[in-house]
Amino acid sequence: VHTCGPNAQKYGSSIFKLTAAYKADTFADKVNLGVGAYRDDDNKPWVLPVIKKAKAILANDEALDHEYLPITGLPEFTSAAARLILSPDSVALKEGRVASVQTISGTGANHLGALFLSRFYEFNGEKQVFLSNPTWINHLAIFKNVGIAPIYYPYYDPKTIGLDFAGFVNSLRNAPKRSVFLLHACAHNPTGVDPTPEQWEQLADVILEQGHYAFFDCAYQGFASGDLDRDASAVRYFEQRGVPMLICQSFAKNAGLYGERIGALHVIGSTKAEADRVKSQLSVLQRSEISNPPSHGARLVSMILNDPQLFAEWQRDIKTMAQRIIDMRDRLFDILTNKLKTPGNWDHIVNQIGMFSFTGINAEQVNALIEKAHIYLTANGRISMAGLNSNNIDYFAENLDKAVR
Ligand code: PMP
């Protein structure tokens, strides 16, 4: 088992320590690029207008009580969430082969999915999961907690600041048959590097050949490209190809509901009877862990997913967030390449997708940015595009330019 990627730095390996250092800094123009949540152009958290509307509707509903939800969650929410990720045309959904359970956001979905596999998956030898190198750091602990050893497959290539596709495929080929591979559905965290549609096809070929299991983590549907369908395309393609899989779904980013902890786990079975058995086991596991999931976020998301007008409004809000991030990528690229003529190639800034970007700068350059310019980012050179805005993008680009010269 490899230890996790970058060296811990003095600002702490954790994003929470980095945030504390940022908060303690009294410099007026300090910049926080470690933040893992969307910020608007004024650097403020953004409550989606459609969420405000849904909250107002709930607040005026005299008939709403605060009884427990069913153990597997609000049924109108879980079924609409499954259609959102798999599409209303999904064959697995039409055949009743999807077991869906409401979870404590994406983290809870990852945990429940991992716990389920740990109990019921027939591992071929070692109980292990293959994670991309690097990955969302919490994946390691989530799997270790349920007795599944995390090991890395090659993913990010520092030489190209892109995907190590050959290494990835090689690792799929060489892993024991029926291995579990965790795949980021879109907007890979932390690199922002995704396979192309053609690469997903080749990955599906090898995964099917080897009988592997796809553990999809989908934390950014819609948030990545601005288009819910486009960001679900890898998951939907894998379902069409019949890859055995489960999907972890989060509404933290795309609905701005971080603290409401609303998500879902969808396990696709090969028959309806199998999916029913899976759902029953998931229900037993969920009962012992949280009894039943919280209702508020589920009601909000369910209302939006099941009302065509609110759904259309949500799609517009998602576009607003995704577009602001895409604009920041374009502007940063433009300033570095055309205005400052910063040494090196910066194509990856616009080629990467989602909230995060791997800049390719080293830990020393990161420290220079923190210490000389009060710009906070993680030691691996990852920046959150959401931390950039029209007020600080020139300041950031100029200091990045200085750090790499
Ligand atoms: N998976 C990935 C890849 C993520 O980036 C995140 C959020 N940082 C999550 C899961 C879980 O987030 P949450 O529990 O807030 O939905």
Side-chain angles (χ1 to χ4, degrees):
V1 178
H2 304 235
T3 51
C4 51
N7 298 327
Q9 53 156 336
K10 65 182 180 185
Y11 298 94
S13 51
S14 115
I15 194 77
F16 299 102
K17 282 189 195 155
L18 190 75
T19 308
Y22 166 79
K23 279 193 178 149
D25 189 331
T26 53
F27 184 69
D29 295 328
K30 64 185 177 176
V31 179
N32 184 6
L33 301 181
V35 60
Y38 180 78
R39 294 290 176 262
D40 66 12
D41 202 47
D42 294 320
N43 199 31
K44 295 273 184 321
W46 195 56
V47 181
L48 275 56
V50 71
I51 292 291
K52 284 191 180 155
K53 207 175 261 185
K55 281 202 301 197
I57 296 171
L58 282 188
N60 290 321
D61 187 344
E62 296 286 336
L64 262 192
D65 56 41
H66 298 281
E67 296 297 289
Y68 292 124
L69 288 184
I71 295 171
T72 52
L74 189 70
E76 312 88 276
F77 162 73
T78 46
S79 55
R83 286 193 298 276
L84 181 77
I85 181 67
L86 290 169
S87 106
D89 302 325
S90 149
V91 175
L93 277 178
K94 283 187 182 150
E95 294 176 355
R97 290 191 283 113
V98 185
S100 298
V101 174
Q102 185 185 325
T103 58
I104 308 292
S105 211
T107 306
N110 273 272
H111 168 69
L112 190 61
L115 181 63
F116 174 75
L117 292 187
S118 151
R119 291 288 168 82
F120 298 105
Y121 190 72
E122 274 182 53
F123 286 90
N124 179 3
E126 295 287 307
K127 257 192 182 185
Q128 58 189 21
V129 62
F130 287 81
L131 304 177
S132 64
N133 187 12
T135 191
W136 179 47
I137 205 69
N138 213 8
H139 282 144
L140 293 141
I142 288 173
F143 283 94
K144 281 188 203 160
N145 277 347
V146 298
I148 299 179
I151 36 178
Y152 279 138
Y153 61 84
Y155 189 84
Y156 173 76
D157 182 355
K159 288 195 291 298
T160 60
I161 318 188
L163 181 64
D164 178 1
F165 185 65
F168 188 174
V169 170
N170 212 25
S171 158
L172 285 168
R173 288 228 162 87
N174 292 324
K177 301 254 176 199
R178 287 188 285 107
S179 290
V180 177
F181 273 78
L182 189 142
L183 307 169
H184 295 230
C186 64
H188 182 271
N189 178 8
T191 65
V193 174
D194 283 355
T196 62
E198 296 71 33
Q199 287 172 332
W200 279 117
E201 287 175 19
Q202 293 175 50
L203 293 171
D205 289 342
V206 188
I207 287 173
L208 283 167
E209 261 163 48
Q210 299 295 105
H212 295 327
Y213 190 88
F215 188 112
F216 269 110
D217 187 5
C218 185
Y220 300 95
Q221 188 185 357
F223 195 93
S225 69
D227 181 334
L228 286 159
D229 293 320
R230 189 159 147 197
D231 292 346
S233 56
V235 168
R236 292 176 183 178
Y237 176 72
F238 271 49
E239 189 231 300
Q240 284 161 18
R241 293 288 306 272
V243 176
M245 64 198 252
L246 63 74
I247 308 136
C248 304
Q249 186 181 29
S250 167
F251 289 92
K253 311 281 152 55
N254 59 12
L257 289 174
Y258 305 90
E260 294 297 340
R261 314 308 293 140
I262 179 65
L265 171 69
H266 310 283
V267 183
I268 302 185
S270 50
T271 60
K272 178 173 185 317
E274 184 187 304
D276 290 345
R277 288 197 297 276
V278 168
K279 178 122 181 201
S280 156
Q281 293 300 341
L282 289 173
S283 169
V284 171
L285 294 174
Q286 175 108 305
R287 170 84 178 110
S288 66
E289 298 225 316
I290 61 167
S291 277
N292 27 53
S295 58
H296 187 61
R299 284 172 175 161
L300 291 174
V301 175
S302 173
M303 194 192 302
I304 291 165
L305 295 181
N306 289 302
D307 178 308
Q309 226 170 321
L310 291 176
F311 186 74
E313 197 170 317
W314 182 43
Q315 285 176 299
R316 286 195 292 276
D317 293 347
I318 285 177
K319 279 218 167 70
T320 301
M321 294 189 284
Q323 197 55 52
R324 194 184 91 66
I325 295 212
I326 293 166
D327 289 348
M328 285 300 117
R329 288 186 180 280
D330 291 345
R331 279 182 60 186
L332 181 59
F333 176 77
D334 182 52
I335 301 170
L336 293 174
T337 332
N338 300 322
K339 187 173 160 206
L340 301 173
K341 312 229 179 300
T342 308
N345 180 317
W346 299 94
D347 289 352
H348 54 277
I349 299 284
V350 282
N351 291 337
Q352 294 168 351
I353 183 160
M355 182 142 64
F356 299 113
S357 182
F358 248 38
T359 56
I361 66 173
N362 61 37
E364 211 178 301
Q365 293 163 334
V366 168
N367 275 338
L369 281 174
I370 298 178
E371 285 176 1
K372 296 193 183 135
H374 309 261
I375 294 168
Y376 290 80
L377 66 160
T378 47
N380 56 12
R382 182 192 83 165
I383 57 173
S384 170
M385 299 308 297
L388 292 176
N389 54 55
S390 32
N391 299 313
N392 66 18
I393 192 155
D394 288 297
Y395 178 77
F396 171 64
E398 282 155 21
N399 283 287
L400 178 60
D401 179 86
K402 277 188 210 152
V404 301
R405 269 183 205 276

